[in-house]
Amino acid sequence: MKADIHPNYREVVFQDLSSDLIFKTRSTVQTKETIKWEDGNEYPLVKVEVSSKSHPFYTGQHKLVDSGGRVDKFKKRYGK
């Protein structure tokens, strides 16, 4: 393998903003935020809007997920 061409693969904490789910896994995603984990170590933090805890496919519940006002734009354009 060539040296210095692969991204840094490390442990990262993901936080679902629409539920209380926080989990640690490994990823190459880049972030500037950090969080102190249960083991006392500090890990990079990635905030996500949807995860398996909040996605309608996994929960079985239909839930409106509006990211960036898309629903409002649609209602404004096509609603009366």
Side-chain angles (χ1 to χ4, degrees):
M1 280 193 333
K2 292 183 180 180
D4 301 325
I5 64 166
H6 300 285
N8 184 16
Y9 187 65
R10 67 202 188 288
E11 290 186 336
V12 177
V13 175
F14 285 86
Q15 178 183 12
D16 184 350
L17 298 176
S18 59
S19 69
D20 59 350
L21 181 67
I22 297 176
F23 59 94
K24 183 175 74 167
T25 187
R26 295 183 57 85
S27 177
T28 60
V29 69
Q30 298 297 318
T31 181
K32 294 181 181 182
E33 295 183 71
T34 60
I35 189 170
K36 192 160 202 136
W37 190 245
E38 301 161 353
D39 60 5
N41 294 327
E42 198 164 309
Y43 296 101
L45 174 67
V46 178
K47 295 180 179 178
V48 294
E49 294 181 15
V50 178
S51 71
S52 61
K53 176 106 180 193
S54 61
H55 194 280
F57 179 81
Y58 296 106
T59 61
Q61 300 173 353
H62 181 66
K63 185 170 150 183
L64 182 63
V65 178
D66 186 14
S67 176
R70 287 186 241 158
V71 173
D72 292 332
K73 288 179 189 176
F74 179 83
K75 286 180 180 178
K76 184 177 178 182
R77 183 179 296 166
Y78 298 107
K80 291 185 179 182

